Amino acid sequence: MCNPTKTQAEKLQPGDEWIADFDLRSFTKEIRELGNKLEKEQGPDDVRHLNKIVGWSNICFLTGFLTMGFGINPISIFALSTWTFSRWTMIAHHTCHGGYDKCHPNKKRWNRFKFGVGSSWRRICDWFDWMMPEAWNVEHNNRHHYNLSELEDPDLVENNLSELREMKIPLVLKYVYVAVAAATWKWLYYSPNTYKELKLAKWRREGKKIPEGVVPSDAVTIKTLLFDTCAFYTLTEFFTVVVGPYLLLHFFVLPMPLIFVGQYLGNGDMYMNAVKNLFLADILTNLHGFVAVVTNHAGDDMYRFRAGCRPFSGSFYLRQVLASVDYPYGSDLNDFMHGWLNYQIEHHMWPNLSMLSYQKSAPIVRDICKRHNVPYIQE
């Protein structure tokens, strides 16, 4: 991206007038210097902050686990949901990006090449969810971050929901469709699509030709596996490798101690109560995640891009601002409930920083954008 000529400036659309006088070189210099400064300052404070967030997540787990046998109740559902949400959006998310690679003393775990990957045991201990960590690392950390708001972005909302827009059904039914999708999207869409991206990356490394008629940018969902032909893997493989272990261990094996606790207390319903609470918590964490994640790059005030750009170039930094949305930030509790996804602009500029660094950087980035008249969207 370069500064427009006078002729180009005359053709700018309403709301884009800032581009005419935009100084890309000065903007890039300020953003790059801030990123370098933040990275150099990371250290023990960032590790202590991570430990604090891990502690809050563990408290959520213990609260949910210790209460989930005593009937279907909102305390268990909320605690278990928040535990799952926080393990994904905060702990795994920033660790898998390398946010603690340089500052955490335990390099055998808190490292992007170690956390959750390499074995089923590491997946269970570090980040056990509907998605495989290896698949998430390809789909999100690579494809999404470095193709933001391009057609090659696997999380491009308007592309993934084109089928819904074209459906000849009443608008109210489209809202129902979105509500159902929001309550199930992690296993309905995210899990199969991240696994598709993992398979696609393997094909590309091996130089394997993409079959005729297969569009790599099209999302693979549960619907694709059930009713269409998936060129990347079978439904059986997807179930046995990706979602099956989580479905079995999280929802049915995890609450098994309550069988014996129920027998001791004379309450034979404790196990099934726990299973029901776990499933209801999964619906809630899907909804929570959908609201926190999908809204970060959606809206008519977000920019789209026709072609790619060089990572960490001036155009790259500018695109992260123009195609991302921040939400109110500042306190750990507020940010915890947002899953630290309220710092989406800053996170996309520097994916490999810690959660604490994003708290420090956001007000500064907002001021830089204000000085350069760059639209900084914070809802």
Side-chain angles (χ1 to χ4, degrees), residues 239-258:
F239 184 82
T240 55
V241 175
V242 185
V243 297
Y246 183 70
L247 177 66
L248 176 65
L249 296 178
H250 181 79
F251 295 98
F252 299 104
V253 174
L254 176 64
M256 273 187 175
L258 295 180

Side-chain angles (χ1 to χ4, degrees), residues 187-206:
W187 58 266
L188 184 79
Y189 156 74
Y190 226 172
S191 183
N193 203 48
T194 54
Y195 194 52
K196 180 264 288 187
E197 290 292 338
L198 179 66
K199 289 288 189 176
L200 183 59
K202 185 173 184 289
W203 283 9
R204 285 169 170 158
R205 286 197 307 271
E206 296 173 349

Side-chain angles (χ1 to χ4, degrees), residues 18 22 27 30-31 321 362-377:
W18 62 272
F22 177 62
F27 174 80
E30 289 190 59
I31 292 297
V321 184
I364 305 173
V365 172
R366 184 176 56 199
D367 290 344
I368 292 173
C369 291
K370 185 177 180 180
R371 284 199 302 276
H372 290 273
N373 295 316
V374 174
Y376 182 99
I377 307 299

